[in-house]
Structure formats: structure tokens, C-alpha cells
Amino acid sequence: MQFVLAPPARSCGRGAHRAFTLVELLVVIAIIGLLIALLLPAVQGVREAARRIQCSNNQKQIGVGLSAHVSVFGFFPHSVSYDDVEETPTVRVAPPARNGRGWILSILPYVEQQALFDRFSDGDCFSGDYSGGNAGPGTGAGGLWKTGCRDLMQVQTSMLQCPSDPSVLGLSTNQWQWGGIPVARTSYKGVIGDSNIGFGSADCHNKIRCPGMFWRHTWYSPISPAHIRDGLSNTFAVGEDVASVNEHSTAYYSNGDWSSCYRPLNFFPDPLPGRSDWEWVQSFRSRHPGGAHFCRADGSVEFVSEMIDITIYRGMATKAKGENVSIVP
């Protein structure tokens, strides 16, 4: 008897396997790529929303510090310039040591940074004069430029850093009056007002009075709530800036903690001007799409659209000009 082995039968059942064809594989890859392309903007949108919330919280914390300072002293924190007032005041006031101390230092005890403030104080960083020029501190410089205080100028505080602006992270060695000296920077600047910085008689950054809340010489006439006749809720106190655009961004320094609302919100010169044309960038901007956060004098925080009418924008930047302006939510 002869036996013949038949070839195994092909199964059409559930266990059968068949490889993908090249066309099918390409279709699957294309579908996956399309899904990623659709999901990526959504993921980025969620991340930016989280960053905006954190940025808003940073400014709310600053607003708490401003209000607490007013409660304790009766006036908002002020700055002390590194140089003399460039005008003859009608009422002579004895100037403090030209130590370069910025208003941000004064709110540290009220934003859970008492230890950092004490280190500045214990390090004798508030005494002595700058004794230098725009190129940098002179020999034996005092105030914030003391050798023993420079490590404190490098302390980075997350409250001062907008998470949407990576350029504010890390130290900088090219800030005005701090060339070659590493310093921490801030995303949040005090509002000097609607001054046309660097152009014409409206410029007040080196004078004894400005229409806004913060500038280099606010020590001369500290601002109380009574000075804000336009209303605390109708007056910008602090706004956002981008550290890589503006080299006046040293965190604890009186020539790095202010900007103007003269130029439109989110004005980015392209290309960036040279270092000597600093006045073109002394304004407010952010990396958030569509606008930037501002803290008002009453401590409230709002995201302001970059499409805001320039008249309203400038009006919100002044404290006592009598403009009948406000931002309607």
C-alpha cells in the first residue's frame, strides 16, 4: 500500500496571519502622522494655558506684596537710583545712598522671601553709593555692587519668571550697568506711565516725578493710594516684559524694574535695535499669544489684549491724569 503526503491545507480561520502590504503600511503611517498633527496644537494649547495661569499667579503674588507694603508703610514700594536726579526739585529732599535698590526688593518680605531680603540687609547691600557710570561700577562701589552682594544679585526667584519666556531663565552678563557681572532677571516691570522714553520732554525716567507708579527716583515722592486719583482698579502697576529683548531687566535693580506703556503692547522691533537705542524696547510685551498680563494698583491681575486701543492702554498706565478709561472684561 502506498501513502502519499498531501500538502497542509491553508486555514481560513481566526488564527491565519497576513503581512501588511506596503500601501497599507504607508496609509497607517499617514493616519498616525495626521493624528499627531491634529493633537500637537491641542497639547501646546493646554501647556500655554497652564503657563498663562502660572504667570497670572506670579503677578497676583506681586500684587499681594504691593498691597502688604502699603498696609505697613502707607505707600507703595519705591526705587532708589544709582545716580542723581537730573533736574532741580522745587522742594529739596535729602537723597538716600545711591545704592540702586529696586522696588522688588521691598516686597520680598511679603511674598515669602523674608530670608532673601535679610541676606541683602545683613550683607550691607543698601548702603554706600554706586560711584560709577553706564559702563559699570567704579572702584569701591557701594550698594548692590558691593562684591559681597553680587552672589545675591544672582538669586533667581520663580515668582519673577514668566514660564512662557525661557530667556528669563539663567543669568545674564550683559545688563545695563552690570556688564560682565552675572545677575538674575525679571519678567515683571513697574509701569512708569505713558512716557515717551528717550524722546522729547515727556521723558521722566531720570526725573523726580512720573505719571505712573515706578521709576528710578520714586524715593523722592513715594506714592500712596491717595496719589492714584484715577482709581486703583483703573491704573496699571506692573506688567510683563521679555528678558531677551530688553537689557534693562536686572531683577533687584532700580534701572531694570520699569518700562513704559508709550509703545503698543507686544511691540517687538525687528531687527532688535543696537544697545545705544535702548529706548525702543523700554516697553511691555510677552511670549503669550495675543497679549500680556498686568497687575493693577489694587492688586488684581488681568490678561490685556495686544489689540487694546492705544489711548485706553496709555490711560491705564497713568495714576492721576483724569482719563475716564477702563478695560471692560
Side-chain angles (χ1 to χ4, degrees):
M1 180 179 296
Q2 185 177 6
F3 295 95
V4 178
L5 296 175
R10 292 183 179 181
S11 172
C12 296
R14 181 176 298 178
H17 297 282
R18 184 176 66 86
F20 284 109
T21 66
L22 179 60
V23 173
E24 290 171 331
L25 186 59
L26 292 175
V27 169
V28 170
I29 293 174
I31 292 173
I32 293 174
L34 180 60
L35 291 174
I36 293 175
L38 292 173
L39 288 174
L40 188 59
V43 172
Q44 291 175 336
V46 171
R47 288 178 176 173
E48 172 55 25
R51 290 191 290 263
R52 278 183 53 171
I53 292 173
Q54 180 59 51
C55 184
S56 175
N57 288 339
N58 288 346
Q59 287 212 36
K60 288 178 181 178
Q61 193 172 4
I62 291 174
V64 168
L66 297 179
S67 298
H69 191 280
V70 172
S71 296
V72 174
F73 297 99
F75 54 83
F76 287 86
H78 58 267
S79 298
V80 179
S81 188
Y82 62 91
D83 62 354
D84 294 324
V85 177
E86 295 186 16
E87 67 177 311
T88 302
T90 56
V91 178
R92 300 298 299 180
V93 176
R98 294 170 297 179
N99 54 33
R101 172 178 175 169
W103 63 267
I104 290 175
L105 277 170
S106 296
I107 69 170
L108 291 180
Y110 311 107
V111 292
E112 300 181 353
Q113 293 293 332
Q114 180 71 56
L116 178 57
F117 180 84
D118 290 343
R119 289 176 64 191
F120 273 98
S121 181
D122 295 342
D124 200 27
C125 302
F126 301 147
S127 65
D129 284 349
Y130 169 63
S131 67
N134 281 334
T139 302
L144 300 183
W145 292 269
K146 290 181 178 179
T147 304
C149 301
R150 293 184 181 180
D151 61 329
L152 299 176
M153 295 299 294
Q154 300 179 26
V155 176
Q156 299 184 76
T157 306
S158 60
M159 178 194 70
L160 300 178
Q161 298 173 333
C162 172
S164 289
D165 178 21
S167 73
V168 78
L169 303 176
L171 304 178
S172 171
T173 57
N174 63 349
Q175 298 299 294
W176 278 82
Q177 287 97 36
W178 293 88
I181 302 174
V183 292
R185 291 167 292 174
T186 177
S187 297
Y188 308 114
K189 311 286 186 65
V191 178
I192 194 174
D194 59 348
S195 300
N196 188 5
I197 301 299
F199 299 92
S201 60
D203 183 7
C204 67
H205 77 281
N206 52 8
K207 304 297 192 297
I208 60 175
R209 290 184 178 85
C210 280
M213 296 285 294
F214 298 102
W215 64 98
R216 279 167 29 188
H217 292 290
T218 39
W219 63 266
Y220 187 88
S221 52
I223 298 168
S224 71
H227 291 122
I228 308 175
R229 296 194 297 271
D230 291 347
L232 275 69
S233 63
N234 293 329
T235 303
F236 290 149
V238 178
E240 289 191 70
D241 196 3
V242 174
S244 60
V245 176
N246 189 350
E247 293 180 354
H248 288 77
S249 296
T250 304
Y252 310 112
Y253 180 46
S254 62
N255 203 25
D257 62 4
W258 60 271
S259 277
S260 173
C261 289
Y262 176 78
R263 300 190 185 282
L265 180 58
N266 276 2
F267 171 66
F268 285 87
D270 186 18
L272 286 176
R275 185 176 177 83
S276 61
D277 296 320
W278 57 270
E279 62 271 9
W280 285 96
V281 296
Q282 202 73 5
S283 56
F284 292 95
R285 58 187 64 81
S286 83
R287 293 298 184 189
H288 303 298
H293 293 95
F294 280 84
C295 175
R296 306 184 195 216
D298 65 353
S300 63
V301 176
E302 182 173 7
F303 187 79
V304 179
S305 170
E306 64 187 25
M307 303 303 294
I308 183 174
D309 181 88
I310 191 65
T311 302
I312 295 176
Y313 181 58
R314 292 175 180 170
M316 292 288 293
T318 66
K319 62 183 180 294
K321 280 193 173 182
E323 307 99 335
N324 185 22
V325 296
S326 62
I327 300 176
V328 179

